[in-house]
Every structure is written in structure tokens, then in C-alpha cells.
Amino acid sequence: MGTCNSKSIKKANPINSPCSPKEIEFRYIDGRRFHNLENVVYPLPNDDDETDRLHFRHFLTRYIWQSNFSAPINDILTDSETQILDVGCGAASWAFDMATTYPLIQIIGIDISQQPPTYIKPDNFTFVKANVLEEIPFEENTFDYVFQRNLFGAFTEQNWPDVIDELVRVLKPGGFIELSEPSMLHNAGPATKRLCEAEMDAMKLRGTDPFTSQKLDKYLQNQGQLRNIKKEIRKCRHGAKSNQAELNLSKTAINNLVNTYSAWKPRLAKIMKISFEEYDELAKISEKELFEYDTYYNIVRVYARKSL
């Protein structure tokens, strides 16, 4: 366990496979490490602080949904032949959680850079360094389930149909694909609106779409090989209208967003033409507003089955 079937891999070896010609893979801004690869538009850091944030966000998301997935795949999770692909796996929080919960299955995580730990990991997890925009390095019809989430900042609006095509290419007939993305914030206070507007400006400058979550079902519909398309939505609330049982969740959600502000700081401060000190003060004001205004965002899950 822990390795892929070599016949399924087209041109990549686990861990060490390149996703583009040799170049300086990272650059540093204000002490944070960022991707520095050609055609990569993903805006957030790739460092230990970001890894912690991604783990934190995973467990927040799992609690909100009370599950790691919505597609009806329970029947394949006890089958040792099952292969699952986690696209843009990042710190592999979701993949490790699934691999630990369902030890018979094989999970392959792909990303543009190595972020999951290479030694302390479930035996049934394998990491392959790859860029979905340059083709997923597996044969057609390899995976029983393909999962992708939180990549609305990673692909341009023009990229999305090609990305979906590539995910469907490696999905087995009868297998399920599942996508999940967050919306922008609703019920935002003045400081939070400034940060949110700057984030949208930053995304548009890089060609990415802040409103991807609203279009996921249409992307699947337009692909042509998918049927039984379903859409589910949950709210992540941050504040005052929460009942007593939800208040701890609200505090956790606020902490997650504050950490996200920190991750965005080098880019947003530049766009807003303010100092890092001014940015930090704005983020502190927003932290209070999140609770007072009961700011929330939607988490959208869309899943479908590939035609036989």
C-alpha cells in the first residue's frame, strides 16, 4: 500500500516528478514563501504557516458539513481496488483524513509543489508533483472518485473548462467527480468590505474568478460526459446571530479568516496602497466586524457521475 499502480501513471513518479522546466520554484515576500512557477496564478503562500491554516480550515469545513464528501461513494470505500485522486491536495489534510478513515483504499494527491509530509503519512497515500494545467500524469479512466476543492484562486476563468475535462479524463466511467468552492463574504462591515474588494481586485488582475462557486454546476453540465449533477450548500457564519451551540464554531471561523487575511497581506496591501501596519489594523477591525455583522460565506459542493 502507499504506491500507485505503475500502469496507471503516464509520465510522473511519486514525489519527485517535475511539473514544469527547471526554475526557481519559490519566492519570498515579507517572510512568506510563495509559488514562483510559470503560469501559476495561485495567490496564497506555501509555507509552514499556510500548512497550519489549511489543516485548520479542513477540520472547520468537515465540522460544518459533518462529512468529508457529498457524492454517494460509501460503497467503494471498503474496496482495496478503489483509487481516489485529490487534485490540488495542498497540505493533504483531506487526503490524510480519508486515508486514515478508510485504510483499504488508495489515495493519490497531486499539487504543483511538495507540501504534505513525506515520512509521516498514511501508507495508503501517495503524493505526485503535477500541474493539472499541464495534464494529470495518469491514464484515462484510472480513478473511481476525483475530488477537488478551494482552487478558485488557482485557475483563470478560461482554464476551468479545460480543468474539468482533465479531471473527467482520468475518472472511470461510472465514477464520481466532486468539486467544492467558497463564495465571497456576505453581510460584511466597512473594513471587511475593503478587504474583500481588494481580494476581488487581486483575483481579477490574475484572471481568476471570485464567483467560481456559483458556476461549478454549469461547468459540469457543459462538460458533456457527466450526469446526475447535484449541488449542496452550507453556510459558514462568523457571528452574533449564532445560537449558543454555534458560538464556538463562529470563533473558529473568525480565526480561520484572520489567518487568511495574513496570507493575503503581501498582495492586498500593495493593491490597497497601504502599509503592512495599516493593513494589520484594518484586519483587526474586520475581526470584530465579522462577529458584529454576522458575516458569512457559502461553501458549495457539486458532484456528478461520469457516463458509462
Side-chain angles (χ1 to χ4, degrees):
M1 299 181 78
T3 58
C4 311
N5 185 330
S6 60
K7 293 181 180 179
S8 298
I9 302 178
K10 290 183 69 174
K11 59 181 182 182
N13 294 318
I15 304 298
N16 297 319
S17 58
C19 61
S20 61
K22 283 187 178 180
E23 55 189 311
I24 299 174
E25 190 172 2
F26 300 109
R27 61 195 178 103
Y28 291 81
I29 306 173
D30 190 37
R32 302 298 301 270
R33 189 180 73 177
F34 290 83
H35 295 293
N36 191 42
L37 299 173
E38 186 179 353
N39 88 0
V40 171
V41 297
Y42 186 72
L44 298 180
N46 176 295
D47 56 20
D48 290 343
D49 287 345
E50 180 65 2
T51 294
D52 289 343
R53 187 188 73 83
L54 293 175
H55 288 319
F56 189 87
R57 184 184 64 183
H58 165 70
F59 291 107
L60 171 64
T61 302
R62 190 184 69 177
Y63 183 85
I64 290 170
W65 284 91
Q66 292 294 295
S67 70
N68 274 323
F69 54 87
S70 288
I73 60 167
N74 284 297
D75 61 323
I76 67 171
L77 296 178
T78 55
D79 186 342
S80 62
E81 298 297 314
T82 295
Q83 292 202 86
I84 290 175
L85 180 65
D86 182 8
V87 179
C89 66
S93 312
W94 182 90
F96 279 21
D97 198 357
M98 289 288 289
T100 302
T101 306
Y102 305 103
L104 294 181
I105 64 175
Q106 293 292 318
I107 298 187
I108 294 86
I110 66 170
D111 209 308
I112 59 176
S113 62
Q114 173 69 45
Q115 201 167 356
T118 56
Y119 299 106
I120 303 174
K121 67 179 186 65
D123 289 339
N124 55 333
F125 171 82
T126 301
F127 176 77
V128 173
K129 188 176 178 181
N131 186 343
V132 65
L133 296 176
E134 297 175 0
E135 188 177 48
I136 297 173
F138 292 89
E139 300 290 349
E140 295 179 4
N141 308 326
T142 296
F143 294 99
D144 301 278
Y145 175 59
V146 174
F147 179 80
Q148 177 184 287
R149 70 176 179 182
N150 300 324
L151 292 184
F152 71 123
F155 307 130
T156 67
E157 192 167 1
Q158 290 71 30
N159 286 152
W160 270 97
D162 294 334
V163 169
I164 302 301
D165 284 345
E166 186 63 3
L167 303 186
V168 173
R169 181 186 69 80
V170 299
L171 181 65
K172 291 178 182 178
F176 283 91
I177 179 175
E178 182 165 341
L179 309 175
S180 181
E181 298 293 341
S183 73
M184 300 306 289
L185 296 174
H186 300 271
N187 295 351
T192 308
K193 282 181 181 178
R194 284 188 64 191
L195 291 166
C196 194
E197 288 167 0
E199 179 184 349
M200 288 192 287
D201 288 342
M203 293 184 68
K204 289 173 183 176
L205 284 172
R206 302 171 77 81
T208 55
D209 182 5
F211 305 106
T212 298
S213 66
Q214 300 175 19
K215 304 172 183 178
L216 292 177
D217 50 344
K218 290 187 178 180
Y219 286 143
L220 296 190
Q221 290 168 8
N222 293 339
Q223 200 281 329
Q225 299 181 67
L226 300 170
R227 59 187 179 86
N228 298 335
I229 298 168
K230 306 292 184 184
K231 181 177 182 178
E232 299 179 7
I233 300 174
R234 298 285 189 276
K235 283 183 171 60
C236 180
R237 292 193 173 276
H238 295 84
K241 294 181 182 178
S242 302
N243 60 42
Q244 189 61 42
E246 295 173 331
L247 283 178
N248 286 336
L249 178 63
S250 296
K251 293 175 183 176
T252 303
I254 289 171
N255 189 36
N256 175 63
L257 204 50
V258 168
N259 290 333
T260 305
Y261 288 158
S262 177
W264 270 106
K265 181 166 67 171
R267 299 191 188 280
L268 298 195
K270 183 177 180 180
I271 285 176
M272 299 170 79
K273 299 180 180 179
I274 60 176
S275 68
F276 286 163
E277 291 76 15
E278 290 173 303
Y279 182 93
D280 289 340
E281 185 59 32
L282 195 65
K284 287 181 182 179
I285 296 171
S286 175
E287 182 177 357
K288 296 178 181 178
E289 289 180 352
L290 292 171
F291 183 82
E292 293 169 359
Y293 285 76
D294 195 32
T295 303
Y296 72 92
Y297 62 89
N298 294 317
I299 306 173
V300 179
R301 283 182 179 176
V302 176
Y303 60 91
R305 194 172 195 182
K306 185 175 179 179
S307 298
L308 294 170

